[in-house]
Amino acid sequence: MAGHAAKHDYHLVDPSPWPFVGSLGAFLLAVGAVGNMKGLVGADHPLAFMYGDGSFGGLILGFAVVIYTMIGWWGDVIKESRQGDHTPVVDLHLRYGMIMFIASEVMFFVAWFWAFFEYAIFHEVRLDPGLAQWPPAGVETFNPWHIPLMNTLILLLSGTTVTWAHHALQHGDRKGAKLGLIFTVILGVCFTSLQVVEYMEAHFAFSMADGGNLYGSTFFMATGFHGAHVVIGTIFLAVCLVRLLAGQFTPEKHFGLEAAAWYWHFVDVVWLFLFAFVYVIFG
Amino acid sequence: MSADAATHDDHTPSMWDWRRWVFSTNHKDIGTMYLLFAIFAGIIGGGLSGLMRWELAEPGLQVFNNGFWGNEHNYNVATTMHGLIMIFFMVMPAMIGGFGNWFVPLMIGAPDMAFPRMNNISFWLLPFAFILAVMSMFVPGAGGDMGFGGGWVLYPPLSTSGHNGPAMDLLILSLHIAGVSSILGSINFITTIFNMRAPGMTIHKMPLFVWSVLVTVFLLLLSLPVLAGALTMLLTDRNFGTAFFAPEGGGDPVMYQHLFWFFGHPEVYILILPGFGIISHIVSTFSRKPIFGYLGMAYAMVAIGFIGFIVWAHHMYTVGMPVDLKAYFVAATMVIAVPTGIKIFSWIATMWGGSIEFRTPMMWAIGFIFLFTVGGVTGVVLANAGVDQALHDTYYVVAHFHYVLSLGAVFAIFAGWYYWFEKIFGVKYNSLFARLQFLFFFVGANIIFFPQHFLGLQGMPRRYVDYADGHAFWNMVSSWGYVVMLIGMAFFFLVLIDAIIRRRKADANPWGEGATTLEWTLSSPPPFHQFSELPKIK
């Protein structure tokens, strides 16, 4: 648009359906989630399979629209990048955007650490004597030097392999870049798998319905949100691997990979805080 | 300039093409949508406050008596939704989404925002979040009662075990989506302001409105995710058996208050800071002087933003905090009066010795300065933990925050509306009607809210459908004030109708030499894509 007269390097994006479709998807996802949790229509309503109590229809619909938007929107971004719309200044925009996004993610984790510390440090003010001790009565915490240490080493190693991939790409070593990324994705999957094993072995419950308490709530929500970020980061890196195999990254221009690497390092740092405080110091 | 504008105007899509709006990637169109959405949400939120003033006009039950709409519970639903709608769907969309989108790129000499497509999802998430919020009023909340009535702060246990129906879940997800919208918008503004300033516009030459938006969006970026975390904890406590705010499982409802106000206090500065920026431009323009103490003004906003993160517990003096902790929060809170004073005195110093013209926006701006000062002074009173012990959750608090928001932020929005109306819509407005709106608003809002100080000092609690007979007189006065403000609102719509019918072509710069920022160098309305050749700043 206006390209005929523009004497600047900014990218004036063409009109796009994705913001509206994505917003609609978020709305459908929200309504579907409330339907699933609470039931917005009765069990004999014709839409009970969508929005009845415990139904998954509305959730799946909303999720599908959101995923469709992501594929379409980010596919457009890749297309624009490849047709040269991402000038140096636009590239800088993307870098700022990613840094700010990660900053907001950090603040999201602040809330979960806040809840954990509130209990870990001030547990003695609880009225119930079982809840006023640390760890609370009936909670058997994990030995940090078993699976958690293993997971720490896996994530640290994956941080080096993603850096290997990045440097290899910068030096034109495409084989090294591919290997580095493949290792990183595999290590991400290993981490998630070991987290699943750990969750299955937990000697404390998530829900109060199963005899759980605030320890289980903070532990599972904090490590669970971290795990979700690991899964997202793994997918992000896997997409970068596909794009690398498709020849979309050059030694000079590969911000998608860099953004994935930044995100991966952020996930890594969150884990180090979880490991240090949740597993070791207050373990 | 005009020749350049003409060639571009040829490419402006038709106003009646729905794709221009729904698929928009144009910061001015998106800004206009934000403004219209804010007006719409403001009508709903203002209508709810009308129901409340009607109910409180005299003792007993007038409205919420299972007649017109619902019972006493629905009064609390009305207070809750009035607060949430006005904050998230009226003030923030108008100031940051509307004026921010319109004028940040224009003032820094940029052709558009950094992420034009993301800009549009920041907008479109809001109407959908609004639908969720309105839906929540009409589905079961507590028992058989519809909607969530626990106040806009959503404190547990009212927001967990107290309201077991889907209303609260819809509200939580509505705020999640509105939060995503604001975070994406913040990322967009920060990137735009840091990277897209015209050649020569250093950070210390940026117009103060741009500074105010920059500080505001940093507050949003860093505080909203914490609210998202707290809301998620509410959601899992409600639906998945976690114990975050459940004492029987070791949880702590006060922890919610900490998390909420760690967001909530920056949020109140988010609501007012863009107003500070708007007022600075208007005072400078109509005094025909550069703003007094430009750098002091800019860094006062930075200071307010920073201190805004470390005073949150002054909203919770009555939860049983240690005295030392209260002493800290009292001291830190009072420190905010210093940068705020810098701003008030610098506006006055700007007017001092200036060639002052009382055009419509200037009247709103001076009204703002007076009313915001009243609200600021009662804020210093409330900052004292000892005094607050008595005034907490009384109408004194209601009066305080409506002076800084309903009379502060809203007056700043109308000041900006009448300052930039011709620039945005390209037509002149009837300034007599606009001044009458100001007159009725100024008188009406003071009649509504000044007596509420007395009611609070008499001990009338917030968020209650009825009151003791002793509070009757000032409540009646307050409700008549609403009628006066309603007349002012009628003049607001008269201005719009008059402008639509008469369509008098606006000048590029209606304010003369006092208006020095870049938006006045463009036509009214500006070309669909401005600054194809970037302006050079000396």
Side-chain angles (χ1 to χ4, degrees):
Chain A
M1 308 206 49
H4 60 287
K7 291 179 187 152
H8 55 72
D9 291 337
Y10 300 124
H11 179 203
L12 300 182
V13 181
D14 285 333
S16 164
W18 300 121
F20 183 83
V21 177
S23 304
L24 181 68
F27 173 77
L28 292 172
L29 192 56
V31 178
V34 178
N36 170 278
M37 294 183 296
K38 289 284 160 60
L40 284 168
V41 296
D44 46 359
H45 193 276
L47 282 177
F49 72 103
M50 292 292 283
Y51 302 111
D53 198 1
S55 64
F56 283 91
L59 262 181
I60 292 170
L61 173 69
F63 208 60
V65 176
V66 170
I67 297 285
Y68 177 62
T69 305
M70 288 176 172
I71 294 170
W73 187 327
W74 292 333
D76 280 357
V77 174
I78 292 171
K79 218 179 292 167
E80 286 154 9
S81 165
R82 295 182 59 70
Q83 69 197 25
D85 287 333
H86 291 182
T87 57
V89 69
V90 175
D91 192 61
L92 196 61
H93 288 349
L94 295 171
R95 285 162 199 276
Y96 269 73
M98 194 66 202
I99 290 169
M100 295 303 155
F101 173 66
I102 291 175
S104 79
E105 290 269 56
V106 169
M107 293 307 291
F108 182 69
F109 277 96
V110 164
W112 303 101
F113 276 100
W114 192 322
F116 180 79
F117 285 136
E118 211 262 355
Y119 192 27
I121 299 171
F122 301 110
H123 50 85
E124 75 279 2
V125 299
R126 266 64 182 174
L127 286 176
D128 182 330
L131 293 167
Q133 63 190 52
W134 190 265
V139 169
E140 196 184 316
T141 57
F142 286 109
N143 182 344
W145 311 114
H146 288 165
I147 291 183
L149 177 67
M150 183 78 152
N151 264 342
T152 307
L153 295 174
I154 287 174
L155 272 193
L156 288 175
L157 183 62
S158 73
T160 62
T161 53
V162 79
T163 307
W164 166 27
H166 182 210
H167 281 255
L169 179 62
Q170 279 178 322
H171 291 96
D173 171 14
R174 299 185 58 80
K175 190 160 166 265
K178 283 172 200 165
L179 270 181
L181 262 187
I182 290 168
F183 275 126
T184 314
V185 172
I186 291 173
L187 287 167
V189 173
C190 288
F191 176 93
T192 308
S193 312
L194 281 177
Q195 260 326 67
V196 171
V197 171
E198 187 186 82
Y199 278 14
M200 290 194 306
E201 290 177 350
H203 288 290
F204 46 86
F206 171 65
S207 169
M208 284 196 286
D210 307 321
N213 56 42
L214 185 56
Y215 183 86
S217 308
T218 50
F219 176 88
F220 282 113
M221 289 304 285
T223 58
F225 266 115
H226 174 263
H229 281 72
V230 171
V231 172
I232 293 166
T234 309
I235 295 171
F236 196 173
L237 288 164
V239 170
C240 285
L241 179 61
V242 172
R243 291 188 60 198
L244 181 71
L245 295 172
Q248 294 189 352
F249 292 136
T250 66
E252 295 78 31
K253 205 162 176 311
H254 47 261
F255 179 67
L257 176 61
E258 284 182 71
W262 291 354
Y263 192 81
W264 195 248
H265 289 311
F266 151 71
V267 170
D268 202 354
V269 170
V270 172
W271 175 260
L272 292 180
F273 275 90
L274 285 170
F275 180 65
F277 291 106
V278 177
Y279 288 97
V280 178
I281 296 175
F282 294 108
Chain B
M1 189 74 259
S2 55
D4 187 34
T7 52
H8 279 273
D9 276 344
D10 296 342
H11 298 273
T12 306
S14 160
M15 205 181 119
W16 304 107
D17 181 358
W18 62 274
R19 279 164 303 194
R20 170 174 174 182
W21 307 98
V22 175
F23 296 168
S24 181
T25 48
N26 181 295
H27 74 104
K28 295 186 287 293
D29 284 355
I30 293 169
T32 304
M33 288 195 287
Y34 263 116
L35 287 171
L36 297 180
F37 173 72
I39 292 173
F40 177 74
I43 292 169
I44 309 262
L48 288 170
S49 62
L51 292 178
M52 293 186 306
R53 275 326 320 163
W54 186 5
E55 173 59 56
L56 296 175
E58 55 184 70
L61 298 182
Q62 279 69 242
V63 182
F64 296 94
N65 52 10
N66 287 312
F68 175 71
W69 177 43
N71 55 18
E72 296 92 329
H73 170 81
N74 294 90
Y75 173 84
N76 286 343
V77 173
T79 59
T80 304
M81 298 312 294
H82 165 73
L84 288 171
I85 289 173
M86 287 306 201
I87 291 168
F88 286 97
F89 301 112
M90 195 279 277
V91 173
M92 285 168 67
M95 281 200 171
I96 310 162
F99 295 135
N101 252 309
W102 254 95
F103 294 106
V104 164
L106 294 187
M107 283 182 165
I108 63 174
D112 207 300
M113 296 284 284
F115 303 112
R117 190 170 25 199
M118 197 168 82
N119 202 9
N120 203 26
I121 199 171
S122 297
F123 171 73
W124 277 108
L125 284 170
L126 273 187
F128 286 112
F130 188 65
I131 294 171
L132 287 173
V134 173
M135 270 171 76
S136 88
M137 290 163 63
F138 302 101
V139 300
D145 292 329
M146 299 294 155
F148 175 71
W152 82 278
V153 292
L154 317 176
Y155 283 171
L158 270 177
S159 57
T160 51
S161 52
H163 282 74
N164 45 11
M168 183 60 204
D169 299 285
L170 283 170
L171 205 51
I172 288 173
L173 293 172
S174 163
L175 293 180
H176 266 307
I177 292 177
V180 170
S181 149
S182 291
I183 289 173
L184 294 177
S186 304
I187 292 173
N188 214 338
F189 277 110
I190 293 172
T191 310
T192 305
I193 294 170
F194 279 157
N195 280 345
M196 293 180 75
R197 278 171 284 122
M201 182 172 285
T202 58
I203 207 128
H204 282 170
K205 285 184 183 170
M206 273 185 346
L208 281 173
F209 179 63
V210 182
W211 266 105
S212 72
V213 171
L214 182 64
V215 176
T216 303
V217 294
F218 262 108
L219 298 188
L220 276 170
L221 184 79
L222 299 179
S223 70
L224 266 173
V226 179
L227 175 73
L231 290 172
T232 308
M233 291 177 201
L234 284 180
L235 199 70
T236 58
D237 268 18
R238 292 171 57 79
N239 294 297
F240 304 109
T242 58
F244 288 107
F245 310 129
E248 64 270 30
D252 181 2
V254 175
M255 181 172 70
Y256 174 83
Q257 300 191 17
H258 279 290
L259 289 167
F260 179 84
W261 286 111
F262 184 81
F263 149 79
H265 199 78
E267 171 70 21
V268 303
Y269 293 125
I270 287 159
L271 299 173
I272 198 66
L273 277 171
F276 285 174
I278 294 169
I279 298 301
S280 297
H281 286 278
I282 293 171
V283 168
S284 159
T285 297
F286 298 105
S287 305
R288 238 186 267 184
K289 271 176 68 189
I291 196 81
F292 178 89
Y294 164 80
L295 274 184
M297 288 293 251
Y299 283 97
M301 288 191 284
V302 175
I304 290 172
F306 176 75
I307 304 169
F309 271 107
I310 51 173
V311 297
W312 74 88
H314 67 212
H315 296 271
M316 321 161 34
Y317 282 141
T318 55
V319 300
M321 275 188 280
V323 172
D324 287 354
L325 201 56
K326 282 187 192 170
Y328 161 73
F329 279 107
V330 170
T333 303
M334 294 219 180
V335 167
I336 295 183
V338 177
T340 312
I342 291 175
K343 300 211 66 80
I344 302 282
F345 287 117
S346 295
W347 286 322
I348 294 171
T350 305
M351 289 189 269
W352 186 274
S355 167
I356 300 177
E357 275 184 289
F358 288 101
R359 308 286 288 268
T360 311
M362 186 63 164
M363 296 175 72
W364 286 94
I366 294 174
F368 167 92
I369 295 173
F370 172 72
L371 296 169
F372 188 79
T373 306
V374 176
V377 169
T378 55
V380 176
V381 174
L382 288 169
N384 292 278
V387 180
D388 186 70
Q389 204 82 23
L391 295 178
H392 187 91
D393 260 354
T394 68
Y395 262 75
Y396 192 89
V397 179
V398 177
H400 158 69
F401 68 70
H402 280 91
Y403 260 87
V404 287
L405 294 180
S406 178
L407 312 185
V410 171
F411 271 52
I413 289 172
F414 280 115
W417 176 259
Y418 288 119
Y419 185 56
W420 285 315
F421 185 97
E422 302 188 11
K423 182 58 66 186
I424 293 173
F425 298 106
V427 292
K428 293 184 201 290
Y429 59 84
N430 184 319
S431 68
L432 176 67
F433 290 164
R435 281 155 199 255
L436 282 170
Q437 188 205 345
F438 168 75
L439 189 71
F440 280 99
F441 257 58
F442 188 82
V443 174
N446 276 296
I447 295 176
I448 297 176
F449 294 111
F450 207 79
Q452 295 185 359
H453 291 113
F454 312 146
L455 290 169
L457 291 168
Q458 290 171 357
M460 179 176 161
R462 293 170 74 175
R463 298 187 182 122
Y464 205 76
V465 68
D466 199 3
Y467 48 82
D469 290 351
H471 303 309
F473 177 72
W474 289 119
N475 267 301
M476 179 199 70
V477 173
S478 182
S479 290
W480 277 113
Y482 186 88
V483 177
V484 177
M485 215 158 158
L486 215 52
I487 299 171
M489 216 51 220
F491 279 108
F492 171 75
F493 289 108
L494 271 181
V495 171
L496 282 183
I497 294 165
D498 171 87
I500 291 170
I501 292 175
R502 285 169 73 196
R503 288 173 190 260
R504 293 174 295 160
K505 183 100 184 70
D507 302 323
N509 178 3
W511 310 128
E513 61 184 273
T516 53
T517 38
L518 280 173
E519 76 268 30
W520 305 112
T521 64
L522 299 167
S523 57
S524 297
F528 195 65
H529 289 295
Q530 74 280 351
F531 299 133
S532 292
E533 189 166 356
L534 300 179
K536 297 245 187 311
I537 314 297
K538 288 187 288 292

